[in-house]
Amino acid sequence: MVSPLLLAFIPYQHHDSNVALKCPTQVRRLQSQPQTFLPSTPRLQLAATTTDVELLPSIREAIQEEYSEDSETAKQTWEEAVNLVATRTGLSPDESELALAKAFGWRAWVKVTSTIARRFMKKSLPSLDSLAEALDWSLTSTVGPLQLSPAQLQTVLTTHPEVYLVDPAATYQTALSVAPEPYGGDSEKFRELAQQDPTVVACTFNCRDSGCSSECGNCWVSYDLKSKM
């Protein structure tokens, strides 16, 4: 039987054969350090490390592949959509393209790693006419109720581009229809709230009325909790 005193002087062999630790303090220090697990495939590594701006070439490539039968028209439509958002909102071209990529499903598409998951993902090219109408609704009092400033729209497009670039009028009505008191049933109060905080238009679900359906990101209850923090 080996003496316990003798064990104290046996070097600890780390999983790296080049490292031998003789001091228990060193062993504890090493074990307390967080372990880094690198993605096992290039695609996973891309999804884990690239910034959104670095995804833009992959997004453009995905659009070209999806509309390969008429890739030039798809490219032109996408570029015109980017220019339209940039011109109307004051966002940079990259910021405008990222907003569109999030709103129309392309950012999520290039980041996902599962071919099975992709079957359930929706992506599309924007209609330039519908996009112009959405921007008019958001910015112009004669079309929509909010008349957001370009600065307000810039901010909300970084967090909720799908709300304001894809049929915001319909989303607004849905949010109003499920809004709790004092906003539900009072379109003027709801309009005032949305002008102060345009992100509230994303609240198209209210679990107080119908129970939880895993819609926390779009739920009035979650919004109310965040407002009180």
Side-chain angles (χ1 to χ4, degrees):
M1 180 175 179
V2 180
S3 168
L5 292 175
L6 201 55
L7 285 174
F9 295 96
I10 297 176
Y12 173 82
Q13 188 68 33
H14 186 243
H15 66 274
D16 185 345
S17 59
N18 295 322
V19 179
L21 302 175
K22 298 181 181 181
C23 173
T25 303
Q26 287 178 293
V27 175
R28 288 194 296 272
R29 186 182 300 121
L30 179 63
Q31 289 175 332
S32 67
Q33 292 175 352
Q35 299 298 309
T36 301
F37 298 94
L38 295 178
S40 57
T41 67
R43 181 175 290 277
L44 281 172
Q45 188 170 12
L46 173 69
T49 61
T50 52
T51 65
D52 278 349
V53 171
E54 290 172 325
L55 289 175
L56 289 177
S58 298
I59 290 168
R60 295 164 193 150
E61 182 180 347
I63 293 172
Q64 293 286 283
E65 290 177 357
E66 182 70 15
Y67 297 93
S68 56
E69 294 183 1
D70 197 357
S71 60
E72 282 303 313
T73 298
K75 179 182 178 182
Q76 182 178 354
T77 298
W78 185 252
E79 290 175 349
E80 290 180 7
V82 171
N83 183 62
L84 177 60
V85 173
T87 301
R88 295 295 305 276
T89 67
L91 289 172
S92 71
D94 282 353
E95 291 169 331
S96 300
E97 189 168 10
L98 283 172
L100 286 164
K102 292 176 184 178
F104 290 89
W106 296 103
R107 175 181 175 272
W109 177 263
V110 300
K111 287 180 72 71
V112 78
T113 60
S114 169
T115 55
I116 296 176
R118 280 186 168 185
R119 297 176 186 174
F120 302 95
M121 300 176 72
K122 295 181 179 180
K123 61 193 186 306
S124 62
L125 277 178
S127 159
L128 295 176
D129 289 341
S130 297
L131 184 60
E133 291 174 3
L135 293 168
D136 284 341
W137 185 93
S138 301
L139 294 166
T140 309
S141 61
T142 56
V143 180
L146 298 183
Q147 194 178 5
L148 300 177
S149 69
Q152 284 179 302
L153 190 55
Q154 286 175 17
T155 300
V156 78
L157 285 182
T158 63
T159 57
H160 298 79
E162 70 286 351
V163 173
Y164 286 91
L165 296 180
V166 185
D167 200 356
T171 306
Y172 182 90
Q173 289 301 320
T174 301
L176 173 60
S177 69
V178 299
E181 297 296 335
Y183 308 109
D186 191 329
S187 58
E188 183 58 27
K189 285 186 177 180
F190 180 74
R191 183 184 70 83
E192 291 175 357
L193 176 64
Q195 285 179 323
Q196 295 171 7
D197 182 6
T199 67
V200 75
V201 180
C203 296
T204 54
F205 189 80
N206 191 343
C207 67
R208 285 196 184 98
D209 298 332
S210 52
C212 183
S213 294
S214 300
E215 293 281 347
C216 300
N218 301 317
C219 184
W220 274 97
V221 172
S222 298
Y223 177 83
D224 188 45
L225 291 172
K226 292 176 183 177
S227 304
K228 295 176 180 178
M229 291 178 64

